[in-house]
Amino acid sequence: MNNFSRESLNTGKEYSRALFFLSPFIFLFSISLFQVLNLTLLQGDKYQTIAESNRIYQKSINPVRGFIYDRKGTLLAENIVQRDLYVTPAYIKDSSKTILTLSNLLNMPYELLEKNFSRGVKKAKKFDSFPLVKALNEEQIAKAKVNLDSISGIEVKATLKRYVLHEETLAHILGYVGDISFDDISRNKLLAEFQNTQIGKTGIEKDYDLILRGKPGIQTQERDVKGKLVRVLDTLGAEDGKDIYLSIDQELQEHLFKLFENRRGALVALEPKTGLVRALISSPSFNPNILNSILDTDEVESLFSNKESPIFNRAVSGQYPPASTLKPFVGLAAIENEIISWDKKIKDDGKFYVEGDPRPYRGWKENGHGRVDMRKAIAESSDVYFYTIAYDLTLSGIRPMLDSFGFGKKTGLTNFEANGLLPDKKWKLGYKGDFWFKGDTINLGIGQGYILATPLQLAMAYSGLANRGVIYEPQFIQPKDETSFEPKKAAEIQLSDKKAWEKMEQALVDVISARNGTAHKVFDANSAVIAGKTGTAQIKSILPGKEYDAIRKNPALRDHALFVGYGPVEDPKLVVAVVIENGESGSEVAAPIVKSAINFYAGGFNAE
Amino acid sequence: MQNKPLSFSVDIKLNKRRNLANFDYSIVLTVLLLGLFGLAMIYSATGSYALVLRQAIYFFLGVILMIIAAMSNFRKMEPIYLNAVWIGFFLLVLVLVLPNSGTTNRWINLGFIGFQPSELMRFLLPISAAAYLTRNPQIKLSDWIIVLITTLVAFILVFLQPDFGTSAIVLLSGIMPIILSGLPWRYIIYSFLGGIGTLPFLWMSLMDYQKERIYTFISPETDALGSGWNIAQSKIAIGSGQFFGKGYMEGSQSQLDFIPESHTDFIFAVIVEEFGFLGALGLFLLYAFLIHRLLYVAKRSNSKFAKLVSATLSIILAAYITLNISMVVGIFPVVGMPLPFISQGGTALVVNMITIGIILSLRRTT
């Protein structure tokens, strides 16, 4: 027997058993190979994507926000470097200890930092940093820089922040910017790519945000498992925002802002021939820089909780009864509908009675103005005259004229406008649950009752008077060349009697120039000739047996003072609407501002 | 007929001239290839020359020991093999007695060098067992029982360290010679059922982190950033390698440290990420070829001892390869086993090289 045959015999038990016990491993080995096949070939694309998202981090490069200038190139809003203290939660071991150290170092309350920290942690991704303290002052920067190396996860970053140069003066025109909120992102997904940047929240900053904001760049980075930058793969530069030139005249704006002396009210001044807004004031105002750098201070809280609502833009969102400033339009409606002629006189003894109602509609002047025609009725602001023609016109006679002058409609100047209110029967039934009474029409005749208008709407309506029926769309953006600028028409009102425009203007000039005019007090031979109308908007109707004197004890119930006018009448340069809340007398508080605005802007007049 | 008398006689002639000539050079070549590839992959995974150098020294040592072992005459070595297990027991007890750091007790530190006695045991135990079982022409039941008891003691000592993965391997390495040497099937089945019966007790004696690993395996999503994270990242690395891989040193998952333990237990993930399915297939073929050649020794040898040793060691090696890979690809719990010849780790490499050397020596016919 040779070796060979013995060997083959012996192959038996050990070898076959070895194969048997190897079989589970062979099985597992084969399954593993299939799993590799499955992962690499069948699911390879999916895992490739996951691996990419593991390593790739896209960091946005913030664009520089565009500057804002006035019509003459005066800088209104720029960006300044602000140093903020940033934290990266992933690198902080003991947050309360770090906050305590920082609170001592920066001399800031622990609770505030704690609050900012927990708020930031919720929003930020693990390796993202977020601002813990904004706008460090010089001392804090110095202290921070010396000590920061010893505190991990903390850095001082310089960022550009919006800075409005004239602060309160321009607050409502420019608005303010702020951090992107979750709401913003849910409304506009594209905003998600802007990290730690600010977007316009109100005003020009919001309306023209897309232009001012620019486009962010993207830096594609490779990061390791700890989020540490390994290398930069690609950089797509940011496209900076564009500058904007506003139609605002900063000198005029500043001059008028001072005249308000922080009284509650609003002003809109625009060029009737172009619709370019030259000044817009809402008072009291606020410092937009407080909100621009979004310091988490009590100042912000108090701004929003202030009872005088400084943030609210009264000029475009404030809705007031137009009161007697509405009379020219009611008058034109009566002439157009041939309810009355220019010279027809109506006896005004201070009271107007409707058939079957013993209660009189009273005029503002106890014993009336005597026999008045249209010119005198406008100049002296006869209520009874307008009660009479409104009664005859009825609602359907008044409404179309008011509608064509833009009452109850947004002008399109900004996104923050209120509609105002031009009531009709349907509206009253829907909102008040009642029918339209003749008394409602009578009240509408003197701009009281349900009708509401914004100062902007009043200015627009009066620009229609100045332009003999043409109203141009208002705008904030200064055209490159004013002389060749062709404004868009918002409305064109045709009167069958073209002379009606001059006649109405004459009546409006009388308001100041004629001795019997309601605003003759502000008459001044050195002033531009102004066509305008006073208004005194009642907030509370005077019940029978109650006198106004009793009501005016509460300042908040005092009448609003209005004046809307344009001038110089030979060549109207500016139309101005002013409302002073609870100012009582349009001639005393509102008219001087309008006069000053026109004289200041037209030049060559005494602007006092 | 497979074996022609002529070729056999040539074989004998060569054997007479030089022992070296009888080496299966394909085995040596495969092992060298795997070892060098391992060094390259450790460099890719860590970027550290120092680590690669350390491993290279072990590799060099391993090659020398492999050659020495391969040239030895196993018939003359049998008395040594018979008693080798005592060295293993001595070291295992030593590692438990010596003061330790951390929660596990696996290393003997000689200052300049550290090694794991358990890794040694899974190689000494089967050799001694095989020598013991084949010392007489006939195996008695008592022989099997003695080997079984020895195996269980070794298993418990490793389990106490605690090292779940290696203790299972030690158990396997001691039981394999018993089974392969002809233990009747009924005993095998009884013991298997008995073994299953002890599973609940085994489970109770597991450390928390070991239980955690099994939970994680069963449902990796429950703990995405904990232990499941490892498997998830490993699968991402493997999958993203796709067909051709991302290229050497170009695997983002491994280069950016997303793969945990990328130079030791999870090195297979690095390989597939960088060399793709093609690379994995190549590696599978190499390993399959190696195991096949090693088993061939068991098949062809005329010595029962040689058959037992080579078959057992081949199965152990196959177990390591299979369990490591199936763990890394996510079809088996994370048990903490290195990939033979490739993973960084000196003891395992040297032991594996000696294993190969001993199997090579078994091809001797005289």
Side-chain angles (χ1 to χ4, degrees):
Chain A
M1 195 183 244
N2 61 22
N3 270 346
F4 158 55
S5 60
R6 198 187 67 171
E7 200 172 84
S8 17
L9 278 177
N10 263 357
T11 305
K13 206 177 263 174
E14 293 87 357
Y15 183 67
S16 59
R17 282 201 177 183
L19 284 185
F20 180 82
F21 284 95
L22 197 63
S23 56
F25 296 115
I26 294 172
F27 178 70
L28 207 53
F29 192 69
S30 315
I31 300 226
S32 298
L33 184 61
F34 274 112
Q35 169 76 340
V36 173
L37 187 86
N38 168 35
L39 294 176
T40 54
L41 301 185
L42 301 182
Q43 302 189 60
D45 290 336
K46 180 184 101 185
Y47 284 114
Q48 174 65 31
T49 313
I50 302 174
E52 282 298 289
S53 67
N54 262 348
R55 83 182 174 110
I56 302 290
Y57 182 87
Q58 295 203 313
K59 185 181 189 247
S60 77
I61 305 167
N62 292 337
V64 176
R65 196 170 177 84
F67 287 9
I68 302 175
Y69 299 92
D70 88 339
R71 61 183 291 228
K72 291 173 187 155
T74 311
L75 184 61
L76 303 181
E78 58 167 337
N79 304 312
I80 55 165
V81 176
Q82 175 181 299
R83 283 171 215 283
D84 302 329
L85 186 76
Y86 274 72
V87 291
T88 311
Y91 301 133
I92 293 178
K93 280 189 199 117
D94 183 349
S95 64
S96 56
K97 207 174 133 193
T98 304
I99 292 168
L100 188 66
T101 316
L102 287 173
S103 137
N104 291 332
L105 188 68
L106 304 175
N107 196 19
M108 292 183 75
Y110 178 88
E111 293 73 25
L112 177 69
L113 295 180
E114 167 83 72
K115 196 174 86 187
N116 288 354
F117 185 83
S118 54
R119 191 188 300 161
V121 163
K122 268 184 231 152
K123 283 208 281 185
K125 283 186 226 145
K126 200 175 169 197
F127 293 105
D128 280 353
S129 59
F130 64 85
L132 182 70
V133 183
K134 287 182 172 167
L136 296 169
N137 62 34
E138 293 297 323
E139 193 191 337
Q140 287 173 324
I141 294 169
K143 274 193 177 168
K145 283 199 170 155
V146 176
N147 291 287
L148 283 189
D149 287 344
S150 55
I151 312 168
S152 69
I154 303 285
E155 59 187 319
V156 173
K157 275 193 199 170
T159 48
L160 286 175
K161 284 288 146 68
R162 194 48 139 194
Y163 181 73
V164 174
L165 276 86
H166 304 275
E167 307 199 322
E168 277 88 352
T169 317
L170 289 159
H172 294 95
I173 297 172
L174 300 184
Y176 54 90
V177 296
D179 286 343
I180 299 170
S181 66
F182 282 134
D183 280 354
D184 292 329
I185 292 173
S186 67
R187 275 195 295 268
N188 181 359
K189 294 268 184 296
L190 291 176
L191 285 175
E193 63 184 301
F194 289 77
Q195 294 166 1
N196 290 331
T197 192
Q198 295 181 308
I199 57 166
K201 295 283 184 181
T202 63
I204 292 290
E205 300 275 21
K206 164 89 181 184
D207 286 342
Y208 296 91
D209 195 41
L210 280 178
I211 295 168
L212 290 167
R213 194 202 292 158
K215 274 188 182 162
I218 290 177
Q219 191 171 72
T220 309
Q221 302 176 336
E222 184 173 81
R223 294 195 174 192
D224 71 7
V225 68
K226 291 189 183 116
K228 241 174 71 187
L229 175 67
V230 177
R231 61 188 161 140
V232 173
L233 299 171
D234 183 37
T235 306
L236 182 75
E239 203 176 289
D240 288 343
K242 292 191 181 69
D243 296 344
I244 283 184
Y245 286 78
L246 296 185
S247 57
I248 294 298
D249 186 310
Q250 175 55 22
E251 285 174 57
L252 176 69
Q253 174 81 11
E254 216 163 338
H255 170 75
L256 296 175
F257 185 77
K258 277 181 203 144
L259 296 182
F260 264 78
E261 294 166 340
N262 276 335
R263 282 174 293 183
R264 269 179 294 116
L267 172 147
V268 174
L270 49 84
E271 269 194 3
K273 286 171 193 162
T274 56
L276 296 173
V277 178
R278 296 306 190 195
L280 186 139
I281 290 166
S282 175
S283 179
S285 188
F286 61 97
N287 182 352
N289 293 329
I290 294 172
L291 297 167
N292 283 341
S293 47
I294 11 100
L295 308 163
D296 193 42
T297 60
D298 298 338
E299 256 179 301
V300 176
E301 298 264 314
S302 72
L303 260 183
F304 283 97
S305 60
N306 190 325
K307 276 186 188 147
E308 303 233 298
S309 325
I311 305 262
F312 182 62
N313 188 342
R314 292 170 159 85
V316 299
S317 317
Q319 305 181 96
Y320 304 93
S324 301
T325 62
L326 194 74
K327 283 173 181 168
F329 309 104
V330 177
L332 287 178
I335 297 287
E336 187 65 15
N337 287 300
E338 295 173 348
I339 297 297
I340 200 162
S341 69
W342 284 100
D343 303 322
K344 174 105 195 277
K345 289 191 170 134
I346 289 173
K347 191 179 169 233
D348 174 0
D349 57 5
K351 290 188 184 75
F352 177 76
Y353 288 93
V354 179
E355 259 177 80
D357 185 357
R359 202 174 59 124
Y361 289 81
R362 290 197 221 177
W364 64 272
K365 202 168 173 186
E366 185 90 46
N367 297 317
H369 303 269
R371 288 171 64 79
V372 290
D373 61 4
M374 178 74 82
R375 184 168 171 176
K376 194 177 172 193
I378 291 281
E380 296 187 8
S381 202
S382 158
D383 286 342
V384 172
Y385 181 91
F386 283 94
Y387 288 147
T388 312
I389 61 172
Y391 180 80
D392 293 344
L393 265 169
T394 71
L395 179 63
S396 58
I398 301 173
R399 253 192 123 262
M401 185 62 77
L402 296 182
D403 178 70
S404 57
F405 274 96
F407 286 94
K409 286 185 288 199
K410 282 181 181 158
T411 68
L413 177 65
T414 84
N415 290 319
F416 306 98
E417 277 179 57
N419 278 321
L421 178 60
L422 179 57
D424 61 13
K425 293 176 179 168
K426 223 171 164 183
W427 174 86
K428 195 183 174 192
L429 200 58
Y431 285 85
K432 297 283 168 186
D434 207 346
F435 296 108
W436 186 269
F437 299 119
K438 282 178 179 161
D440 294 327
T441 310
I442 292 163
N443 272 331
L444 182 62
I446 61 156
Q448 290 286 164
Y450 301 116
I451 188 165
L452 293 173
T454 64
L456 175 62
Q457 283 171 334
L458 289 174
M460 293 288 291
Y462 272 72
S463 76
L465 296 177
N467 292 336
R468 309 294 186 250
V470 180
I471 300 176
Y472 294 104
E473 282 183 6
Q475 75 170 57
F476 267 133
I477 300 299
Q478 175 70 9
K480 281 213 174 74
D481 180 10
E482 262 186 56
T483 49
S484 65
F485 174 60
E486 280 178 28
K488 270 193 231 153
K489 280 179 189 169
E492 190 163 5
I493 301 124
Q494 302 281 356
L495 294 182
S496 33
D497 176 13
K498 301 279 177 222
K499 283 186 183 146
W501 296 114
E502 273 85 42
K503 286 179 179 164
M504 185 52 78
E505 185 171 275
Q506 191 51 54
L508 290 169
V509 168
D510 282 354
V511 170
I512 289 177
S513 303
R515 202 154 300 151
N516 63 342
T518 49
H520 188 62
K521 274 179 231 168
V522 299
F523 178 77
D524 168 4
N526 294 324
S527 163
V529 179
I530 293 166
K533 183 72 195 79
T534 52
T536 305
Q538 287 173 14
I539 299 178
K540 205 170 161 63
S541 48
I542 301 160
L543 298 169
K546 245 198 170 172
E547 290 302 314
Y548 179 65
D549 283 343
I551 290 170
R552 71 179 299 276
K553 277 177 191 150
N554 180 355
L557 294 179
R558 288 179 196 170
D559 298 341
H560 294 328
L562 290 86
F563 194 92
V564 191
Y566 60 89
V569 286
E570 320 77 77
D571 178 20
K573 296 262 195 252
L574 203 64
V575 54
V576 188
V578 170
V579 176
I580 302 290
E581 288 181 16
N582 315 121
E584 298 199 299
S585 166
S587 59
E588 265 176 64
V589 298
I593 297 176
V594 173
K595 186 182 106 181
S596 181
I598 292 168
N599 287 333
F600 187 96
Y601 185 73
F605 300 101
N606 178 11
E608 277 310 301
Chain B
M1 280 297 279
Q2 202 183 354
N3 297 289
K4 294 187 175 77
L6 183 66
S7 66
F8 183 64
S9 63
V10 172
D11 234 84
I12 291 176
K13 242 186 180 172
L14 286 171
N15 278 343
K16 272 181 184 162
R17 214 174 42 155
R18 260 187 113 183
N19 290 330
L20 275 176
N22 200 27
F23 281 6
D24 184 339
Y25 282 104
S26 64
I27 293 179
V28 178
L29 210 66
T30 308
V31 169
L32 291 179
L33 206 62
L34 287 170
L36 290 173
F37 183 59
L39 292 178
M41 289 322 293
I42 290 165
Y43 181 68
S44 176
T46 60
S48 153
Y49 282 116
L51 260 178
V52 175
L53 189 66
R54 235 174 86 111
Q55 184 75 357
I57 291 169
Y58 278 115
F59 183 54
F60 185 67
L61 183 73
V63 172
I64 291 173
L65 291 175
M66 176 177 77
I67 292 169
I68 292 172
M71 287 171 69
S72 67
N73 185 334
F74 74 92
R75 291 172 211 277
K76 288 178 185 161
M77 292 286 283
E78 268 185 55
I80 298 171
Y81 288 156
L82 188 62
N83 294 303
V85 75
W86 299 117
I87 303 169
F89 277 120
F90 172 73
L91 292 171
L92 277 183
V93 173
L94 195 66
V95 86
L96 284 178
V97 171
L98 285 177
N100 66 303
S101 57
T103 53
T104 58
N105 219 344
R106 297 176 184 176
W107 292 82
I108 286 184
N109 201 337
L110 302 178
F112 61 100
I113 200 167
F115 72 100
Q116 289 176 275
S118 53
E119 283 281 350
L120 212 56
M121 197 58 174
R122 55 105 173 158
F123 141 81
L124 295 175
L125 182 63
I127 294 176
S128 291
Y132 184 76
L133 291 172
T134 56
R135 71 191 193 288
N136 300 314
Q138 281 296 312
I139 304 171
K140 284 180 281 181
L141 188 61
S142 62
D143 293 342
W144 283 319
I145 292 170
I146 285 168
V147 172
L148 181 66
I149 291 168
T150 314
T151 301
L152 288 175
V153 172
F155 165 74
I156 289 163
L157 285 174
V158 179
F159 193 82
L160 287 177
Q161 289 184 356
D163 186 342
F164 181 65
T166 315
S167 67
I169 290 284
V170 166
L171 189 65
L172 190 69
S173 72
I175 285 174
M176 267 304 128
I178 301 174
I179 293 172
L180 298 182
S181 62
L183 182 72
W185 275 107
R186 61 175 188 281
Y187 291 123
I188 298 174
I189 292 162
Y190 293 157
S191 331
F192 181 71
L193 294 176
I196 288 180
T198 62
L199 276 182
F201 301 99
L202 207 64
W203 174 255
M204 284 190 290
S205 62
L206 286 181
M207 300 282 280
D208 279 346
Y209 80 95
Q210 292 169 324
K211 289 181 183 171
E212 181 89 349
R213 284 174 176 179
I214 294 171
Y215 288 139
T216 301
F217 169 70
I218 293 164
S219 146
E221 291 78 20
T222 50
D223 183 24
L225 283 172
S227 16
W229 157 267
N230 295 357
I231 296 173
Q233 291 301 335
S234 159
K235 282 165 86 172
I236 293 168
I238 291 169
S240 65
Q242 296 183 308
F243 192 72
F244 292 107
K246 298 173 187 170
Y248 183 58
M249 304 278 293
E250 297 290 330
S252 64
Q253 286 287 105
S254 36
Q255 301 305 320
L256 302 173
D257 301 334
F258 283 95
I259 305 178
E261 308 288 336
S262 60
H263 60 298
T264 57
D265 292 357
F266 281 86
I267 200 159
F268 182 72
V270 182
I271 295 170
V272 188
E273 184 181 27
E274 299 191 345
F275 297 103
F277 175 73
L278 224 50
L281 191 65
L283 192 66
F284 270 78
L285 290 176
L286 270 185
Y287 276 129
F289 176 75
L290 180 66
I291 299 296
H292 167 73
R293 293 307 298 178
L294 293 177
L295 273 178
Y296 190 72
V297 174
K299 187 178 177 188
R300 304 300 291 176
S301 175
N302 54 14
S303 146
K304 196 174 174 74
F305 168 77
K307 278 178 182 294
L308 287 184
V309 169
S310 61
T312 305
L313 292 181
S314 307
I315 289 174
I316 299 299
L317 206 56
Y320 265 100
I321 295 165
T322 308
L323 295 181
N324 173 275
I325 291 178
S326 53
M327 157 188 100
V328 174
V329 300
I331 58 171
F332 201 76
V334 177
V335 280
M337 279 186 186
L339 187 61
F341 307 110
I342 292 184
S343 283
Q344 195 261 334
T347 317
L349 181 64
V350 171
V351 167
N352 285 332
M353 300 294 274
I354 297 173
T355 302
I356 298 295
I358 286 174
I359 296 177
L360 286 173
S361 79
L362 299 176
R363 275 192 63 122
R364 285 173 69 112
T365 47
T366 52

